[in-house]
Amino acid sequence: MPGVVWGPDVGSGLLALAVVLPVAGALLILPLGRHAERVPHLLFMAGLVLATAIAYHVWIGGVLTAAIGGWPAPLGIVLRADGLSAVMLLTTALVLVPVGIFAAGEFQPRTADGRESRAGLLFWPLMMGVWAGLNGTFLSNDLFNIYVALELLTLAAVPLVTLEGKAGTLAAALRYLLFALLGSLLYMLGAALLYGTHGTLDLTLLADRVRDDASALIAAALMTAGLLAKTAMFPLHLWLPPAHGGAPAAASAILSALVVKASFYLVVRLWFDLFPSLLDDTGATVLGLFGAAAILSGSVLALRQARLKLLVAYSTLAQLGYLFLMFPLAGGGTEAQPWTAGAWSGGIFHAVSHAFAKASLFLGAGILVQGIGHDRIADLRGAARSLPMVIAAFGLSGLSLMGLPPSGGFIAKWLLLTTAMASGRWGWAVVMFAGGLLAATYVFRVLNRAMATPEQPLRLVQPVHQSRQLAVLFLALVSVLLGLVPAIPFELLQIGGGLSTVEGFR
Amino acid sequence: MTGMLPLLILSTSLVPAVVIFFLPEAATRVRAAVNLIGALAKLPLVGLILDGVAAGEQYELRYTLVPGLDFLLRIDALSLLFLSLSAFLWLLTTLYALAYLRDGANQSRFFGFFSLCVAATTGIAMSGSLITFFLFYELLTLSTWPLVAHRGDARSIASGSHYLAYTLAGSTALLLGIVWLEGQVGPVEFAAQTGIAGADPNTLRWIFLLMVGGLGVKAALFPLHSWLPAAMVAPAPVSALLHAVAVVKAGAFGIVRVVYDVFGIGLVTDLGLGVPLAAVASFTIIYGSLRALNQSDIKRRLAYSTVSQVSYIILGTGLAGPTAMIGGLVHLIHQGLMKVTLFFCAGALAETLHIYRIQEVDGCGRRMPVTMLAFSICAVGMIGLPPVAGFVSKWYLGTGAIEAGQIWVLFVLAGSSVLNALYFLPILYRTWFRPATGTWREPLTPLPAAKVWGLVSPAVATAVASLASGLLAAAQPFSPLGWATLIVTRDYGP
């Protein structure tokens, strides 16, 4: 097979490096302390180059695998990157660079008077930890390594919520930790069950050995339940808004854009790659109904928030719901209309464009808090005039949330909608339309306020550095760009995808 | 080259839009220059394509977004009807807006979105498939909103929300119709229908209802029209954009596309959808005129007049006979030219003499003779009197109705003309025959000459164009009537 290389080779070296780089970064930044100001940016840039290189390798040569130390599975650790992994890696890197630039204004290891700040020192190693966890999740091909990566992700992400040390965020972080650990536990139980039955943890080997029996079903259900708790999927979602809404803006952006996507990514991997024949209509419908409930309840709750950051956090709940519509819809349209490109791609597209849009929204909210001193939606009058770039970015990211063109969100919705309608599954289409209209209502509720002329001109309480505004705008533009040139990520996604990603579960 | 031209035309509006967004607020001259260069560059390009299409040339650009979703620009004769109107009016409206908004706030935002609206309209005109049409249609919806809400006071914000609530609901219906249809028959391109007639007739009727209903919001079809009069709180150049250059026209144009190029006239007739569409349009014509009658605000009266007049286009489309089709299509141009003049003049009255209500125009014909002459020409045209353009539209619609065997339409046309006369003639009477009674205020300092010129000359240009389209209607094929005839005889002939 071309491109599948065992042993030390450029491609496999890249995969190993993608996991090693953030870990090394954390180890480097910790002892350097206040001398490490520029190190994170260099690492993030290197990460972007690395992710691009991996994506390029996958694009040219197909699925990339690396057996660390030359030991093949089941003995050694095997890393694997197909189109989906490459897209997720690239998304992570592309979000991290602007978030890093944004965070540099807030989390300096040294305060203005030269002292070391606790938040400034801790933020960067934690970010590296999150990054390592994400890359590990996307590249591991082994249930145990995935568990390690997920735990790393949790243990780095939860402290990010509490960095500012406010009382409310501590409670939120504890709740987050509780749900995340419960999720890990359930996942571990499922993984143990599979290992006990089949004697391997390697995903590729397991996929061949798993049968449609009760033990597999129980294992799959346990792991899925655990991952749903980590994804904040309805009905295990209530920990998310206070945690994401209360964290510092840069942390919220990473949590909402990337961290919840890692566990979603694993749900996709499990069902489409590991148990494609195990999911019957009922199971798929239940997952879809969770998604629908998340879309509707999340959007309605977002509408009722008085604070911008909480609105954005509830919107994450709603947007995560769309991802789970891919399960009942997968493969549905292909029989009726061969041209429908499929719900699987639609779901992934949604995850990616939401990552950029949501990161931009959280960073934008952070700038508003910095610039005008609060994020009360009712008092945003004049913001469009004082911080035009931020409000423009809010509007552009809003396109993805509403699923309107031109945006990656529209392409995702189009893929999901055409599948739903071509296979006559009206209900899911109606939910998506309703979700779009509700999103429009909460997006324009904010824009309406920001566009209004205030009685007194709005004065910025603190100047906002241009580079931070540009970081917000950049992320919004990427979410729009995904709607203008979707063909490249779309084709990359298809590389190495199993039959189930095209034809559904049977 | 034939693929590049549509892209080039699109970029004449899109590039200025993007550039203007990034210009600092103080760069007034640069902004005006960028805008005007775009508008001026567009005209010869459109002229080039007009000539090419008249000679039977094809212009097409295709780009696959994802499988089953092609971005397709294709220019046919019908595209050019809308394209040339919006290109011509964009130039004049820009000149007008530069004068109107002198010293106003948020100009970069305003002109950026203004150019973006025109870019969207250009895209709508050139769309070669349903989904491409939808992409630009949504872009138009969204880029118009900041213009409607431009002033930022409570009324503007409220009317902006009103506009969005209607148009986004309309877009949802339209998208549902598109996805449903494509779920049945695959991707739909204009003028390349094969499989659609095979689908279930009742499903097709529902799809038609969803699409026309969705498009009817922008076309201000009764009962989906109420956002349009509410939006008249926006500055006058925005009204011109809403009523003549872009928004309502996009809705009407979309309905024309759906009837002619998605379903096809034959299928629409077979499904029994043509006459009901014409009936809804007729009801809207009479209803809009009746509501216009009891408005005392000039811009509100003009807005209800638009509700009525745009439905002529849809009436002609629904009647589906060749002559009625010509009447409907040519009214797309004629209504645009006349209505933009009326709004230019209303804006000039408000800016110069603070005249907003009909009772206030007494005697202003002597104070602003050129403006009011332009207004009068187009008011007469709206009523449908020769030799102004409106007469031609009504004549073709009337004969088309007889040809299609729908005699009742004549009563609608006659009734509407009487109502038009009833709500326009009092304005003209007050303007020219009543003495000035101090109902208007002179500005404290005389307006700068450049501003006066900027407000008046676009109105004169469009009034002359309205008159010329009536007088030279027979000039083939580049008069509006000539072009509409070419469209119907060449592309949709029996």
Side-chain angles (χ1 to χ4, degrees), chain A residues 337 339 404 421 444 448 453 484, chain B residues 63 151-152 161 182-184:
Chain A
Q337 294 291 333
W339 57 272
L404 292 180
M421 297 295 283
F444 277 103
N448 257 335
T453 315
L484 295 175
Chain B
Y63 163 64
R151 287 200 173 121
S161 298
E182 301 204 343
Q184 305 281 318

Side-chain angles (χ1 to χ4, degrees), chain A residues 136-156:
Chain A
T137 311
F138 299 142
L139 291 175
S140 295
N141 197 40
D142 168 306
L143 287 176
F144 182 73
N145 288 336
I146 289 172
Y147 172 75
V148 174
L150 270 178
E151 283 301 82
L152 178 59
L153 193 58
T154 304
L155 295 178

Side-chain angles (χ1 to χ4, degrees), chain B residues 282-283 285-286 312 315 394 397-398 401-402 406-419:
Chain B
S282 300
F283 184 82
I285 291 172
I286 298 296
Y312 283 122
L315 174 65
K394 285 198 183 169
L397 282 172
I402 299 173
Q406 307 287 343
I407 303 300
W408 56 274
V409 171
L410 292 181
F411 292 98
V412 174
L413 292 173
S416 164
S417 290
V418 171
L419 290 168

Side-chain angles (χ1 to χ4, degrees), chain B residues 245-259:
Chain B
V245 188
V247 180
V248 294
K249 286 298 157 56
F253 181 78
I255 292 177
V256 172
R257 276 287 190 211
V258 167
V259 172

Side-chain angles (χ1 to χ4, degrees), chain A residues 337 339 341 385 399 404-405 410-411 414 417-418 421-422 426 433 437 440 444 447-448 451-453 484-487 490, chain B residues 63 65 67 69 105-106 109 131 134-135 138 142 145 151-152 157 161 164 168 172 176 179-180 182-184 186-187:
Chain A
Q337 294 291 333
W339 57 272
R385 194 132 183 221
L399 292 178
L404 292 180
F410 172 73
I411 301 289
W414 171 260
L417 271 177
T418 42
M421 297 295 283
W426 273 81
F433 277 116
L437 284 176
F444 277 103
L447 287 178
N448 257 335
M451 282 280 286
T453 315
L484 295 175
V485 282
F490 183 87
Chain B
Y63 163 64
L65 290 168
L69 180 52
N106 295 325
R109 187 175 84 196
I131 195 64
F134 179 80
L135 297 179
E138 276 308 277
L142 296 170
W145 173 74
R151 287 200 173 121
I157 295 287
S161 298
L164 272 183
L168 284 180
T172 304
L176 182 57
V179 178
W180 193 359
E182 301 204 343
Q184 305 281 318

Side-chain angles (χ1 to χ4, degrees), chain B residues 479-491:
Chain B
S479 74
L481 181 67
W483 196 261
T485 314
L486 177 136
I487 294 172
V488 172
T489 50
R490 196 173 80 185
D491 294 348

Side-chain angles (χ1 to χ4, degrees), chain A residues 143-487:
Chain A
L143 287 176
F144 182 73
N145 288 336
I146 289 172
Y147 172 75
V148 174
L150 270 178
E151 283 301 82
L152 178 59
L153 193 58
T154 304
L155 295 178
V158 173
L160 275 178
V161 176
T162 65
L163 267 191
E164 284 174 349
K166 288 182 289 189
T169 58
L170 276 175
L174 267 181
R175 189 135 61 126
Y176 177 13
L177 186 65
L178 210 66
F179 271 88
L181 289 181
L182 174 76
S184 304
L185 189 69
L186 291 173
Y187 173 88
M188 201 57 201
L189 277 176
L193 197 55
L194 283 178
Y195 184 66
T197 322
H198 302 291
T200 180
L201 289 164
D202 185 79
L203 285 179
T204 318
L205 295 176
L206 265 178
D208 290 336
R209 297 186 192 171
V210 167
R211 302 278 165 269
D212 299 354
D213 53 20
S215 83
L217 191 64
I218 293 169
L222 283 171
M223 293 166 86
T224 306
L227 293 168
L228 288 188
K230 281 177 180 283
T231 316
M233 193 60 227
F234 185 92
L236 302 169
H237 59 294
L238 286 173
W239 62 266
L240 184 141
H244 288 195
S252 309
I254 296 299
L255 295 175
S256 248
L258 301 173
V259 174
V260 286
K261 304 288 164 52
S263 38
F264 162 72
Y265 162 92
L266 289 175
V267 180
V268 173
R269 278 275 183 240
L270 282 187
W271 288 110
F272 284 89
D273 289 355
L274 201 51
F275 310 115
S277 56
L278 203 56
L279 193 63
D280 56 2
D281 270 345
T282 324
T285 310
V286 167
L287 285 176
L289 283 175
F290 285 162
I295 294 173
L296 299 177
S297 67
S299 303
V300 170
L301 286 169
L303 256 179
R304 298 172 43 156
Q305 299 306 311
R307 304 276 299 269
L308 183 58
K309 278 185 80 176
L310 279 173
L311 180 148
V312 178
Y314 276 101
S315 140
T316 299
L317 288 188
Q319 298 288 318
L320 290 171
Y322 288 98
L323 308 180
F324 285 79
L325 296 187
M326 77 150 73
F327 293 96
L329 289 176
T334 332
E335 285 163 46
Q337 294 291 333
W339 57 272
T340 55
W344 183 82
S345 309
I348 306 295
F349 233 90
H350 198 282
V352 171
S353 52
H354 174 254
F356 292 108
K358 194 46 63 78
S360 168
L361 289 173
F362 264 122
L363 297 189
I367 288 190
L368 285 173
V369 172
Q370 183 200 358
I372 62 182
H374 65 80
D375 67 342
R376 291 187 302 276
I377 296 166
D379 301 328
L380 284 180
R381 281 203 185 83
R385 194 132 183 221
S386 314
L387 294 163
M389 242 192 268
V390 175
I391 300 299
F394 188 94
L396 291 176
S397 310
L399 292 178
S400 250
L401 301 192
M402 298 184 275
L404 292 180
S407 73
F410 172 73
I411 301 289
K413 212 164 172 182
W414 171 260
L415 292 171
L416 290 166
L417 271 177
T418 42
T419 313
M421 297 295 283
S423 58
R425 291 176 222 186
W426 273 81
W428 305 117
V430 170
V431 170
M432 281 185 263
F433 277 116
L437 284 176
L438 285 168
T441 320
Y442 66 70
V443 167
F444 277 103
R445 189 174 144 237
V446 177
L447 287 178
N448 257 335
R449 283 292 164 167
M451 282 280 286
T453 315
E455 284 109 41
Q456 280 118 27
L458 188 72
R459 259 173 226 283
L460 295 188
V461 293
Q462 205 185 331
V464 178
H465 198 274
Q466 192 84 350
S467 67
R468 305 186 82 193
Q469 298 198 45
L470 280 173
V472 176
L473 192 60
F474 170 80
L475 285 164
L477 285 176
V478 175
S479 78
V480 169
L481 209 62
L482 274 173
L484 295 175
V485 282

Side-chain angles (χ1 to χ4, degrees), chain B residues 48 55 61 109 115 119 196 225 235 273 321 389 435 456 459 471:
Chain B
L48 196 65
L61 176 78
R109 187 175 84 196
S115 299
I196 183 167
H225 63 282
L273 295 166
V456 176
L471 285 171

